[in-house]
């Protein structure tokens, strides 16, 4: 009987079963999720390549995640606060129409733009010694520019080239300039300038003294200014005093004329009616004898543009006829716009006077705007219209410069209509 030799593959049943079981399990797991296994192996290989212990790597990752989370949280808080501030501002500025009882809502009237401060930070601009004298018999105002001290250095070398400019407003008929002083912050001017002005006009005028830094090849920079209201001056003796120079005015106070129009709003019909009645004392800058005081025929051909802006975007517009060669045009022309009760709270009415020129571009002669974003007399007129539905409310308004109105109103660019897009 041949001897029995056990096969090397036939080992103990328990020893052979364990490897087979393990192999089968590994194959099953890798088959179920091969992508996860490959990603885990890749991450593990990358971590092994970093020459840091695992706890340090995990700490760095946790700190980075926490930092990103904190940044996102700060951005969210800032956006929320900004949104709340805007909503609060809008709520405070909007006129509440529910409480209108037919009376003039004087409580809604805000201060004029000129009364609002534009910041509290004040720079030292130096001081000016000036003099004022008025000869009532000859109706002559004499303004003396004596000297300045401690002016602001405008040049790179720590000096300036100052000169003074003098005029009166709102007339601003004449503007005088002193000579330029080179490389000094303490110039001695000793110059006098005379203005022909009546006593009645004197009490409504302001003497403006401005100090500029002369630049040969660029724009001259204003260093500071001094404004003296002449109605507050004691003319029994010559005034001579030092005063600190202030910040230059953002806009010049000019007499551009007045315009009269009526406003009428009918909520039930959603109709806003503007009747442009007349304008007077319009300012003319033509040299061919077109100012109010000239004896020649004015060359201005004024017309009025009536425009509505909805949500600070240009919306609807109409204009009057052109009146030839006059600075006191009479129109009495009516314009009606469809404006719903909800839109009237978001609408601004822009009234502007233009000089028509057949050969060149039309020039803006003056402008104002009314609405919930307006202030002063303009807001009062708008509030009176809303308080008295179906009744026309007339009022005269002083025209402002187009630059001042545009900077206050800040209209946005109009989005083109879908059918007018080039694509």
């Amino acid at each position: 009987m041949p001897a029995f030799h056990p096969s090397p593959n036939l080992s103990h049943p328990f020893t052979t079963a364990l490897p087979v079981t393990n192999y089968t399990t590994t194959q099953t797991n890798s088959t179920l999720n091969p992508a996860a296994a490959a990603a885990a192996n890749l991450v593990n290989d990358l971590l092994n390549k970093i020459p840091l212990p695992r706890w340090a790597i995990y700490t760095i990752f946790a700190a980075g995640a926490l930092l990103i989370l904190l940044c996102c949280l700060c951005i969210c808080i800032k956006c929320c606060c900004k949104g709340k501030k805007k909503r609060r501002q809008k709520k405070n500025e909007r006129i509440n129409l529910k409480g209108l009882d037919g009376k003039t809502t004087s409580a809604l009237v805000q201060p004029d733009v000129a009364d609002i401060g534009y910041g509290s930070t004040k720079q030292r601009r130096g001081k000016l010694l000036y003099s004022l004298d008025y000869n009532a018999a000859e109706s002559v105002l004499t303004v003396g520019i004596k000297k300045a001290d401690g002016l602001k250095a405008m040049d790179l070398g720590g000096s300036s080239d100052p000169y003074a400019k003098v005029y009166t407003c709102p007339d601003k008929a004449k503007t005088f300039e002193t000579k330029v002083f080179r490389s000094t912050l303490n110039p001695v001017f000793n110059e006098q300038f005379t203005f022909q002005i009546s006593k009645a006009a004197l009490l409504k005028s302001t003497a403006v003294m401005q100090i500029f830094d002369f630049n040969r090849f660029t724009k001259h920079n204003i260093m500071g200014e001094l404004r003296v209201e002449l109605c507050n001056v004691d003319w029994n003796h010559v005034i001579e005093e030092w005063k600190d120079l202030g910040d230059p005015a953002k806009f010049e106070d000019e007499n551009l004329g007045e315009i009269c129009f009526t406003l009428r709003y009918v909520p039930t019909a959603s109709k806003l009616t503007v009747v442009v009645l007349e304008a007077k004392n319009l300012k003319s800058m033509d040299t061919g004898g077109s100012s109010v005081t000239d004896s020649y025929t004015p060359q201005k051909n004024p017309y009025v543009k009536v425009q509505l802006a909805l949500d600070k975007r240009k919306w609807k517009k109409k204009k009057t006829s052109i009146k030839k060669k006059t600075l006191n045009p009479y129109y009495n022309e009516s314009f009606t716009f469809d404006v719903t009760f909800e839109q009237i709270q978001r609408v601004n009415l822009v009234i502007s006077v233009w000089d028509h020129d057949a050969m060149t571009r039309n020039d803006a002669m003056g402008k104002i705007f009314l609405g919930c974003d307006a202030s002063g007399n303009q807001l009062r007129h708008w509030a009176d219209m809303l308080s008295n539905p179906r009744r026309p409310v007339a009022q005269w308004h002083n025209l402002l410069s187009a630059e001042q109105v545009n900077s206050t109103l800040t209209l946005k660019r109009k989005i083109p209509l879908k059918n007018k897009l080039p694509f």
Side-chain angles (χ1 to χ4, degrees):
M1 184 176 181
F4 175 74
H5 297 285
S7 172
N9 295 329
L10 299 173
S11 52
H12 195 277
F14 292 104
T15 13
T16 56
L18 285 172
V20 172
T21 309
N22 287 343
Y23 175 76
T24 310
T25 308
T26 307
Q27 286 293 98
T28 308
N29 288 342
S30 62
T31 308
L32 285 173
N33 199 353
N41 291 334
L42 181 63
V43 171
N44 199 33
D45 291 341
L46 289 174
L47 292 176
N48 289 333
K49 289 179 182 178
I50 300 174
L52 289 173
R54 288 295 176 90
W55 65 268
I57 297 172
Y58 294 149
T59 305
I60 292 171
F61 279 130
L66 185 62
L67 186 63
I68 293 171
L69 186 64
L70 286 173
C71 289
C72 293
L73 189 63
C74 289
I75 292 171
C76 291
I77 291 173
K78 190 174 180 181
C79 291
C80 289
C81 291
K82 196 173 180 181
K84 283 182 181 178
K85 188 177 178 181
K86 278 187 178 179
R87 286 194 294 271
R88 197 182 301 118
Q89 232 174 9
K90 202 169 182 182
K91 187 178 178 182
N92 291 339
E93 288 177 356
R94 180 169 291 184
I95 294 179
N96 186 10
L97 301 179
K98 293 181 180 178
L100 299 177
D101 55 357
K103 298 178 181 178
T104 302
T105 53
S106 56
L108 298 173
V109 178
Q110 302 169 353
D112 284 326
V113 177
D115 300 333
I116 299 173
Y118 288 97
S120 56
T121 56
K122 200 168 184 178
Q123 294 179 318
R124 293 236 0 131
R125 296 177 176 271
K127 54 185 180 179
L128 178 69
L129 177 63
Y130 72 97
S131 66
L132 291 174
D133 184 27
Y134 184 67
N135 187 332
E138 299 180 5
S139 298
V140 173
L141 170 69
T142 303
V143 181
I145 305 296
K146 303 295 184 180
K147 56 183 177 178
D149 185 64
L151 296 177
K152 185 179 177 183
M154 305 294 287
D155 299 336
L156 293 176
S159 186
S160 297
D161 302 322
Y163 70 93
K165 187 183 288 187
V166 184
Y167 60 90
T168 61
C169 64
D171 183 36
K172 204 177 178 181
K174 285 184 178 180
T175 300
F176 297 99
E177 294 181 3
T178 67
K179 64 180 181 180
V180 178
F181 287 79
R182 299 287 180 181
S183 303
T184 178
L185 300 178
N186 307 290
V188 180
F189 299 105
N190 281 334
E191 295 190 41
Q192 289 186 336
F193 309 101
T194 58
F195 299 88
Q196 196 75 33
I197 184 171
S198 66
K199 187 65 182 288
L202 181 77
L203 299 177
K204 298 177 183 178
S205 299
T206 301
V208 182
M209 293 157 273
Q210 298 175 322
I211 306 296
F212 284 84
D213 174 43
F214 176 82
N215 294 299
R216 185 171 296 278
F217 301 109
T218 59
K219 182 182 177 182
H220 299 180
N221 298 317
I222 188 167
M223 304 166 70
E225 74 173 19
L226 186 60
R227 290 175 179 258
V228 181
E229 293 185 5
L230 301 180
C231 61
N232 298 327
V233 176
D234 181 10
W235 298 108
N236 294 322
H237 54 84
V238 177
I239 306 297
E240 185 170 317
E241 60 182 350
W242 283 96
K243 272 198 177 180
D244 290 331
L245 292 168
D247 297 340
K250 193 171 182 181
F251 300 102
E252 190 58 76
D253 185 16
E254 288 186 87
N255 185 8
L256 300 177
E258 300 174 76
I259 187 167
C260 181
F261 54 89
T262 67
L263 298 179
R264 179 173 179 259
Y265 183 64
V266 183
T268 53
S270 299
K271 299 287 184 184
L272 172 64
T273 302
V274 181
V275 181
V276 179
L277 296 174
E278 60 179 314
K280 65 181 181 180
N281 301 328
L282 297 178
K283 179 156 182 148
S284 173
M285 304 299 289
D286 289 348
T287 56
S290 58
S291 66
V292 181
T293 56
D294 289 335
S295 58
Y296 302 101
T297 305
Q299 299 300 313
K300 291 296 183 182
N301 305 311
Y303 69 93
V304 178
K305 189 187 292 183
V306 182
Q307 186 177 35
L308 290 182
L310 180 64
D311 294 329
K312 296 292 184 78
R313 296 188 188 277
K314 293 179 181 179
W315 188 28
K316 302 175 180 180
K317 69 177 178 181
K318 296 179 182 180
K319 60 183 181 180
T320 67
S321 58
I322 300 168
K323 302 299 178 181
K324 300 288 185 179
K325 297 183 180 181
T326 178
L327 297 177
N328 301 282
Y330 180 79
Y331 298 101
N332 196 18
E333 298 182 29
S334 177
F335 306 98
T336 302
F337 300 92
D338 292 324
V339 183
T340 65
F341 187 76
E342 187 270 334
Q343 289 171 336
I344 199 69
Q345 303 176 70
R346 300 184 287 120
V347 155
N348 285 298
L349 172 66
V350 183
I351 306 287
S352 54
V353 182
W354 294 78
D355 173 35
H356 175 75
D357 198 316
M359 304 298 294
T360 61
R361 180 180 174 184
N362 297 342
D363 298 320
M365 303 175 69
K367 199 173 189 178
I368 59 164
F369 83 94
L370 299 88
C372 299
D373 297 320
S375 61
N377 289 329
Q378 288 77 29
L379 180 62
R380 184 182 292 112
H381 192 182
W382 189 259
D384 286 347
M385 176 198 72
L386 297 176
S387 302
N388 299 275
R390 295 175 296 278
R391 184 190 303 174
V393 181
Q395 189 170 323
W396 281 94
H397 292 273
N398 291 320
L399 291 168
L400 305 173
S401 67
E403 181 187 8
Q404 182 174 354
V405 172
N406 294 342
S407 66
T408 307
L409 187 55
T410 59
L411 292 180
K412 302 173 185 175
R413 290 183 177 274
K414 189 173 182 180
I415 299 175
L417 298 175
K418 200 170 184 181
N419 56 359
K420 292 187 178 180
L421 289 172
F423 48 82

